Amino acid sequence: MVVVIVITYVLMWLAPGNFFELQRVRDAIARVTTPDDPAYQATLKGFEERYGLNNPLWKQILMYLKGAVVFKFGPSFSDPARNIEDLIKEKFPITFTLALSSILFALVVGVPLGILAALKKNTWIDYTAMTVSVIGVAIPSYVVAVFLILIFSIYLGWLPTSGWEGIRTKILPTIALALGPLASVARFTRVSLLDTLNQDFIRTAYAKGGDDRTVIMKHALRPSMIPLVTIVGPQMAYLMVGTVWVENIFRIPGLGQLFANAAVTRDYPLLVTSTFILALTVMIMNLIVDVLYAILDPRIKLD
């Protein structure tokens, strides 16, 4: 986490422009100012002192790390009346709900699709399922979102184009975000199940008189899920980051939209904190994956 914060801070420091200058340019229509104006310099000095921007970069990073340890991030540039941790508490549940519903949708559809493709290997069903999977991986979520809006909102008028209130507003963003992971889940399930079906213990199960349903459900499916767990954790973290595009397209007031606005306006404290939260989510998901390994495969726990 320290490395993530340091890299983010350095990249922001190297990026051209800053929050105060962007605000001056935005308000130039109302009142023309230049960086040489005494009033501008006095305001800039007070702004830098309030947020510690007059300190060297290394000291700014240390000050931020000190607050991050206790989850106290201070106010953002764009909303100085509210602390960043309060904004995160408000926005994070929306983003997490969207990502969680998308990964569940991907599992509910992708796992049966992968199983079906494995059982019907080298048939038109297998080829069709894998073709759909390749297309799903290749098309970005924001492109899928645009097509979903065109079809189901504009042409058919079945679902709303934006918002996050009620079940109907959640359907399109969930599908748009889930298509990529769904394709990956289907492909991994197919490959893993085919590998398991070639193992000696599966042949033994068939030799003892087991039918296809019993052998697959009782003996083959569980060990086939271990490689799948490997990608589900990172996919969940990827979805948390991927909501940036989908949330902006569907105007969902989540962490992704907050993150995008912070990047555009150079709101350094909010941008670093958003990156911090997303990186922390990645690490937590990886930890959960390691724990699930031991639950699914007793051999790992024994080792």
Side-chain angles (χ1 to χ4, degrees), residues 15-303:
N18 56 66
F19 177 83
F20 201 79
E21 180 62 21
L22 289 174
Q23 293 298 108
R24 187 188 69 82
V25 172
R26 190 191 68 178
D27 298 338
I29 298 176
R31 184 172 61 87
V32 177
T33 60
T34 65
D36 297 328
D37 289 343
Y40 174 86
Q41 289 294 329
T43 305
L44 176 61
K45 183 178 179 181
F47 178 82
E48 291 179 341
E49 290 178 351
R50 177 178 181 181
Y51 291 98
L53 300 178
N54 55 340
N55 294 315
L57 181 62
W58 63 268
K59 189 171 183 178
Q60 294 181 42
I61 295 175
L62 289 179
M63 291 171 60
Y64 182 86
L65 288 172
K66 182 180 179 181
V69 172
V70 292
F71 276 72
K72 297 293 184 182
F73 305 105
S76 70
F77 292 170
S78 54
D79 193 358
R82 301 184 63 187
N83 287 330
I84 293 176
E85 56 267 24
D86 295 330
L87 293 173
I88 297 296
K89 290 177 183 177
E90 178 184 320
K91 306 292 185 180
F92 183 81
I94 297 175
T95 296
F96 183 79
T97 301
L98 176 58
L100 183 61
S101 60
S102 298
I103 198 67
L104 290 177
F105 181 83
L107 290 172
V108 169
V109 178
V111 171
L113 187 63
I115 293 174
L116 183 62
L119 297 180
K120 303 294 182 180
K121 181 183 177 183
N122 295 330
T123 66
W124 68 270
I125 296 177
D126 181 22
Y127 296 144
T128 302
M130 290 303 99
T131 300
V132 172
S133 297
V134 171
I135 294 173
V137 172
I139 301 178
S141 59
Y142 55 85
V143 176
V144 177
V146 171
F147 276 102
L148 289 176
I149 291 174
L150 285 173
I151 296 171
F152 294 101
S153 298
I154 296 177
Y155 293 149
L156 298 176
W158 291 353
L159 297 168
T161 60
S162 62
W164 190 249
E165 294 181 1
I167 298 297
R168 296 177 71 249
T169 61
K170 297 177 174 63
I171 295 175
L172 292 186
T174 297
I175 296 175
L177 202 60
L179 186 59
L182 187 156
S184 298
V185 166
R187 294 174 64 192
F188 269 84
T189 301
R190 176 187 180 275
V191 172
S192 181
L193 185 57
L194 285 175
D195 182 66
T196 303
L197 291 175
N198 290 325
Q199 299 297 318
D200 291 337
F201 71 92
I202 296 296
R203 286 190 282 269
T204 302
Y206 276 118
K208 290 182 178 180
D211 55 22
D212 287 340
R213 180 182 178 85
T214 301
V215 171
I216 292 171
M217 298 302 295
K218 187 176 180 180
H219 300 286
L221 197 55
R222 181 173 177 177
S224 300
M225 291 299 101
I226 296 178
L228 181 61
V229 171
T230 305
I231 69 166
V232 170
Q235 283 289 350
M236 180 65 181
Y238 157 78
L239 289 175
M240 292 290 293
V241 179
T243 59
V244 172
W245 308 108
V246 174
E247 285 183 11
N248 278 275
I249 291 174
F250 289 99
R251 297 180 183 178
I252 299 172
L255 188 61
Q257 192 177 64
L258 194 70
F259 181 85
N261 292 336
V264 171
T265 60
R266 299 293 194 275
D267 191 338
Y268 297 161
L270 184 55
L271 185 57
V272 175
T273 304
S274 301
T275 308
F276 171 83
I277 295 298
L278 294 175
L280 186 62
T281 303
V282 173
M283 296 180 183
I284 292 174
M285 293 309 304
N286 286 335
L287 176 61
I288 293 175
V289 166
D290 288 342
V291 174
L292 287 177
Y293 279 160
I295 295 175
L296 291 172
D297 191 345
R299 293 174 300 177
I300 296 176
K301 186 175 181 180
L302 182 63
D303 291 339

